[in-house]
Amino acid sequence: MRSAPIALGLLLLLAGCAEVGKVIGASFERPRLSFVSWEPREADLEGVTLALRWQIDNPNAVGLRLSGLDYRLEVEGHQAIAGSAAGGIRIPSRGSAPLDLPVRVRYADVPPLLGSLFSKESLSWRISGEAGLETPVGPVRLPFSHEGRVPAPRPPRISLQGIAVHDISIGGLTLDVKLAIQNPNAFALPLGALSYGLRVAGAEVVAGASHPLAAVAGGKGGVAVLPVHLSFGAAGAAARRAAAGDPLDVALQGTAGFGGLKLPLDLKGRFAPGK
């Protein structure tokens, strides 16, 4: 019968594979996962991306394959993110391969952090997890962890800069209220919007208004000009004092929004109108 030689051949093949597996298993060395570097990228008022890099070293005579990676990231001791990354990276025999992991941290995803975010000079972070490898002796899990600190974002500084009068007519005048915006961060402030109310010389002259705010480059400043019409009728005293060049008390309350940041404003100043 021909089946007997075939069966015998299969048994010998399986026995041979088993022996090969034993040899590989006996000589198999555990791969090493080493941290290489990290850098902050894409930092803004909403968050920061951590570009993390490891290296997988394979001391064995057979190639390996990364099957996947699970990780957990904490910021100031609070979990910010937990996730997985796809595998597919091949590590050559007696060689190495880089393992790159960019992780985006959104400050809004860490509610306990928001109340004190702007009071800190820097933020601590820690990443930990396991990388999975496919090997001739079965799955191997390589744990990893690393920690560091990243500069904390700073809120923009907004202040009343002054006022200027123009377009005086028989009915009233236009008063420009100037806001100075200083960006203390290395990254740019995005386009924003101001929602506000305004009092001049004790009279409410603006309520529930909005005004766009231009982007401000990192480390730079900008000016927002809010035009306000003062009627000699409705805001008579304030309009007449502005037209005469007398100093005026100016009070602005509202919210400046830049991306996901909402910054409450309560600004006061006394200014003599310019032209």
Side-chain angles (χ1 to χ4, degrees), residues 33-47:
L33 181 62
S34 306
F35 182 78
V36 176
S37 64
W38 76 277
E39 63 176 314
R41 295 179 182 170
E42 300 172 14
D44 53 43
L45 286 175
E46 295 185 342

Side-chain angles (χ1 to χ4, degrees), residues 192-203:
L194 174 70
S195 301
Y196 70 101
L198 189 71
R199 300 183 71 86
V200 176

Side-chain angles (χ1 to χ4, degrees), residues 49-109:
T49 296
L50 301 177
L52 303 147
R53 169 166 281 204
W54 282 265
Q55 179 174 292
I56 306 174
D57 295 305
N58 177 15
N60 299 284
V62 293
L64 308 176
R65 180 179 177 274
L66 180 73
S67 58
L69 181 144
D70 299 318
Y71 63 90
R72 178 175 184 264
L73 180 72
E74 300 169 61
V75 179
E76 290 292 304
H78 304 287
Q79 179 170 312
I81 249 180
S84 300
I89 298 174
R90 296 192 176 277
I91 305 96
S93 62
R94 305 195 193 286
S96 62
L99 173 57
D100 296 328
L101 179 65
V103 181
R104 177 67 176 174
V105 182
R106 294 181 68 255
Y107 302 131
D109 293 336

Side-chain angles (χ1 to χ4, degrees), residues 166-201:
H166 61 87
D167 294 340
I168 301 177
S169 67
I170 193 171
L173 54 84
T174 298
L175 184 70
D176 285 341
V177 178
K178 300 178 182 180
L179 292 182
I181 303 172
Q182 184 67 38
N183 179 10
N185 299 287
F187 53 80
L189 292 179
L191 295 173
L194 174 70
S195 301
Y196 70 101
L198 189 71
R199 300 183 71 86
V200 176

Side-chain angles (χ1 to χ4, degrees), residues 18-37:
E19 289 303 315
V20 171
K22 288 180 182 179
V23 171
I24 292 175
S27 62
F28 185 81
E29 294 185 53
R30 187 175 177 82
R32 295 180 296 275
L33 181 62
S34 306
F35 182 78
V36 176
S37 64

Side-chain angles (χ1 to χ4, degrees), residues 124-222:
S124 65
W125 59 268
R126 180 178 186 273
I127 191 165
S128 59
E130 287 187 331
L133 294 179
E134 296 174 1
T135 80
V137 297
V140 171
R141 306 291 289 179
L142 301 179
F144 63 86
S145 67
H146 195 77
E147 58 188 47
R149 301 192 73 87
V150 67
R154 313 305 300 161
R157 296 189 291 269
I158 302 178
S159 60
L160 288 168
Q161 188 181 56
I163 56 178
V165 172
H166 61 87
D167 294 340
I168 301 177
S169 67
I170 193 171
L173 54 84
T174 298
L175 184 70
D176 285 341
V177 178
K178 300 178 182 180
L179 292 182
I181 303 172
Q182 184 67 38
N183 179 10
N185 299 287
F187 53 80
L189 292 179
L191 295 173
L194 174 70
S195 301
Y196 70 101
L198 189 71
R199 300 183 71 86
V200 176
E204 184 178 59
V205 294
V206 174
S210 62
H211 188 83
L213 297 174
V216 182
K220 303 295 183 180

